[in-house]
Amino acid sequence: ISLWQRSYGAAAATAILEGCATPAPPSLPVNPLKTTADALITQLAQQSIPAEKTPVENALRLTGAGDVTRLSAFREGLFHVQDLSSQQCAAALAVRPGHRVLDVCSAPGGKTFTLAERMEDTGSLLAMDLYPHRLKLVEDGAARLGLRCIQTKANDAQIYDKSLGVFDRILCDVVCSGYGVIRRKPEIRYKDPAEGVALPQTQLAILTTSARYLAPGGRLVYSTCTLNPAENEGVVNAFLREHRELALCGEPVTCLPEQTGGDGFFYAVLEKKL
């Protein structure tokens, strides 16, 4: 609470706390390879499940749906579940069909799927994660959604692998303290804040390694699901001081729950000079 008061002001801190105490309504990116937002709204209405469009392109919000994985539309791969803030982050990467894309910390795969759909399932998307068993979540989700451009690889994001080559777009969604998703993971309330003191060092190492894979003229998005400037602006600024070959593309974005209706989130868009 003290961190939020210092960082965002007393009023915003109170609003964040109120948001932490409310349930998170399901947000669904519609799979454009299989259906449209309007068609999915109609299909869900036939099952008495209200769905409405959101400010995020091709994304719906449900009310009173319960466990969405039980729905036939889920099993058919017509959508996946992803918070609105995460969808905005994925959109900021500005992928296009045919791009070569790297998602360095991909599991469980929500942003990976959104990127692949925005690529129209063309080009290639390499989804990496430190833990092989978590990549199974990405593989299963891609199969359900019918996404074939996704490949997976177990990898430590802090260690550079020259054999991977270069990429047009890189998503660097790093491990973090998770202070933006407390409403989804209430156990975070009981963590000792001291446990996260070393996180910026790890995050900077992941960002530094990831940037080495970026092609000239390419775009990288650094993101977290936390509301902690040390893990957000602090890491980005430390990186840019040492890497003049990259520059910010617009101002970094901090998503506060009371403003967006989504999770607390941060992302910064970086581009590599030609």
Side-chain angles (χ1 to χ4, degrees):
I1 293 171
S2 297
L3 169 68
W4 288 339
Q5 290 173 333
R6 291 193 308 271
S7 303
Y8 309 112
T14 299
I16 293 169
L17 288 165
E18 290 173 347
C20 290
T22 58
S27 299
L28 315 179
V30 178
N31 184 351
L33 304 176
K34 293 190 173 186
T35 189
T36 65
D38 289 329
L40 185 54
I41 289 173
T42 299
Q43 181 173 339
L44 293 171
Q46 293 171 351
Q47 301 175 52
S48 301
I49 298 173
E52 60 182 8
K53 294 182 180 179
T54 70
V56 178
E57 181 185 2
N58 217 34
L60 304 181
R61 173 168 281 160
L62 306 189
T63 54
D67 179 10
V68 298
T69 63
R70 66 178 175 80
L71 300 176
S72 59
F74 179 85
R75 295 192 298 273
E76 294 165 10
L78 305 188
F79 67 85
H80 65 278
V81 180
Q82 186 183 31
D83 183 77
L84 287 178
S85 298
S86 293
Q87 294 179 55
Q88 290 175 313
C89 168
L93 195 57
V95 295
R96 297 196 299 271
H99 268 161
R100 188 166 195 252
V101 180
L102 174 64
D103 187 349
V104 299
C105 303
S106 64
K111 299 180 192 67
T112 307
F113 306 146
T114 298
L115 293 174
E117 290 167 356
R118 286 177 172 269
M119 294 163 62
E120 299 177 6
D121 200 28
T122 66
S124 65
L125 198 167
L126 180 59
M128 302 197 302
D129 200 84
L130 180 60
Y131 302 105
H133 70 276
R134 284 175 55 79
L135 287 173
K136 183 68 162 52
L137 300 173
V138 181
E139 294 163 358
D140 290 347
R144 181 180 59 80
L145 293 163
L147 299 171
R148 295 182 173 84
C149 72
I150 298 172
Q151 296 180 319
T152 61
K153 177 180 175 61
N155 183 74
D156 185 339
Q158 298 183 69
I159 300 175
Y160 178 66
D161 182 352
K162 183 179 180 180
S163 69
L164 297 180
V166 296
F167 296 83
D168 304 300
R169 298 287 189 270
I170 297 175
L171 177 60
C172 189
D173 186 52
V174 298
V175 59
C176 69
S177 56
Y179 293 157
V181 293
I182 289 177
R183 64 180 180 173
R184 299 181 188 274
K185 300 180 178 180
E187 69 276 8
I188 291 173
R189 300 169 185 264
Y190 305 104
K191 287 187 176 181
D192 182 348
E195 294 178 14
V197 170
L199 278 170
Q201 181 178 350
T202 300
Q203 293 158 342
L204 180 58
I206 293 173
L207 175 56
T208 301
T209 299
S210 300
R212 296 180 67 182
Y213 299 115
L214 189 61
R219 174 175 287 200
L220 180 152
V221 168
Y222 171 85
S223 63
T224 77
C225 59
T226 196
L227 297 173
N228 180 3
E231 300 178 58
N232 298 340
E233 294 92 341
V235 171
V236 172
N237 292 337
F239 172 81
L240 290 175
R241 284 194 294 269
E242 301 296 328
H243 297 273
R244 300 299 176 88
E245 73 276 15
L246 279 89
L248 280 171
C249 180
E251 291 296 316
V253 175
T254 299
C255 302
L256 299 179
E258 76 277 10
Q259 295 173 348
T260 66
D263 290 335
F265 208 86
F266 170 88
Y267 61 90
V269 181
L270 307 175
E271 291 189 341
K272 190 171 185 178
K273 299 173 184 177
L274 289 168

